[in-house]
Amino acid sequence: QVVESGGGLVQPGESLRLSCKVTGGIIETMAWHRQAPGKQRELVAGITTAGSPIYADSVKGRFTISTDAENTLYLQMNSLKPEDAAVYYCTATDSGNMDYWGQGTQVTVSS
């Protein structure tokens, strides 16, 4: 099970932290994706159990992905821009390469 939380409405330049609790299975990789209206879903950031993070170019230096020992995934988003507004999805891939997706959490960036 994958359950996100932490979305909301912020102004440009502000910060927001998303959380995602993953339960069940042996998780190998976790990631955040996002989808804005009229756009394709895109990978925002991902991290393996070894702790190696990857980021989309558009968020490098502003977003930080992290996880804890209880399979909770975080996305710290700083210096938010209007183009960061989207529905953010948490995903997890287990040791059998099965993907699990959360229901999504809305992030709105507007003045």
Side-chain angles (χ1 to χ4, degrees), residues 33-89:
H33 292 74
R34 68 185 180 188
Q35 186 167 23
K39 294 188 177 181
Q40 288 188 332
R41 189 172 294 180
E42 63 174 346
L43 173 67
V44 177
I47 190 167
T48 67
T49 52
S52 302
I54 59 170
Y55 297 95
D57 288 342
S58 59
V59 306
K60 281 181 182 176
R62 300 188 298 119
F63 290 12
T64 302
I65 189 171
S66 62
T67 185
D68 64 19
E70 297 179 354
N71 278 348
T72 301
L73 183 69
Y74 303 96
L75 186 67
Q76 178 66 43
M77 303 185 293
N78 298 328
S79 302
L80 282 161
K81 304 175 180 180
E83 52 264 41
D84 294 319
V87 177
Y88 283 70
Y89 297 91

